[in-house]
Amino acid sequence: MKPDLLERLRCVKLFLLDLDGTVYLGSKPIPGALDFIGNLKRCGIGYLFLTNNSSKSAAEYVAKLTAMGFSVGPDRVVTSGQVTGWYLAGKKPGAKLYVVGTASLKAELAAHDLRVVNDAAGGVDFVVAGFDRELTYDKLLVAVELLAGGAPFIATNPDLVCPVGENRYIPDCGSICVLLENAARRTPMFIGKPHTKMVDYIRALHHVSPRSMAVIGDRLYTDIALGCNASIMSICVLSGESDKSAVAKSPYKPDLVIETVAELNRFFK
Ligand SMILES: [Mg+2]
């Protein structure tokens, strides 16, 4: 490793770790990932698990990570749903929302004292789209009407698909937004990776400078692009959806490319 890169790595006080493809694959930890978290704890270096998946709550991720052997409390997980709630509550406290999202996302937004309504009569302050695994045509109809009427359009994350193991993918928030965009002729403002609101949220909570953070992830257009957009160090792991040729072709260039997080263990003993 180049000396300047090693120096940068040694300055990191907070690692932002993607989940699927980075610390686990499906329901199995990536070999060396548990050791990496253990090493960070021992060295007093912070870490957060960052996910764009807005269909599940932080508590559900804590349960999943704990079952795999990661020692993690709810304060270690940041979801795009949480950041969306934080952002909207800051924009307009108590805002009225129509949500194309799961019951879990609605609960997350309500926890930020936002008013999630099923009956959108009289209009809403924002239409929020998420990774809606409970999507119905009726929800789309209401959202399109509100958007066509001018309601601000917020989306939790731009991912087109979500990996579900063994090279299988299911439609994610980005794909639902393509439908809404085409039907309503409106473009959403995205909150999750690679948009810097995720980092704004973390900085507001943890008071860490961009220079002291590094993002580790497998997806170039979200994880690595977040590093580029927020001017924080980015480390691409080849244990998920990207290989060397994808990295070479990507407009988002990671500072470091490694096979798996296990390669970082020698630096944090
Ligand atoms: Mg990933």
Side-chain angles (χ1 to χ4, degrees), residues 18-22 163 193 217-219 222-223 240-241:
D18 169 55
L19 289 171
D20 212 334
T22 301
K193 302 179 278 187
D218 68 314
R219 189 169 264 192
T222 54
D223 302 316
E241 73 167 35

Side-chain angles (χ1 to χ4, degrees), residues 192-231:
K193 302 179 278 187
H195 301 279
T196 51
K197 296 273 179 301
M198 292 288 262
V199 171
D200 294 343
Y201 172 82
I202 290 161
R203 289 188 70 184
L205 254 65
H206 295 270
H207 311 288
V208 179
S209 72
R211 179 85 191 159
S212 304
M213 286 190 254
V215 58
I216 308 177
D218 68 314
R219 189 169 264 192
L220 292 155
Y221 74 89
T222 54
D223 302 316
I224 304 310
L226 176 68
C228 299
N229 292 340
S231 301

Side-chain angles (χ1 to χ4, degrees), residues 41-42 52 85 108 147-148 169 175 192 210 212 252 258 267-268:
K41 275 178 99 166
R42 209 168 28 255
N52 264 3
E108 180 65 58
L147 292 172
Y169 294 88
S175 294
S212 304
Y252 307 107
I258 53 179
F267 300 111
F268 301 97

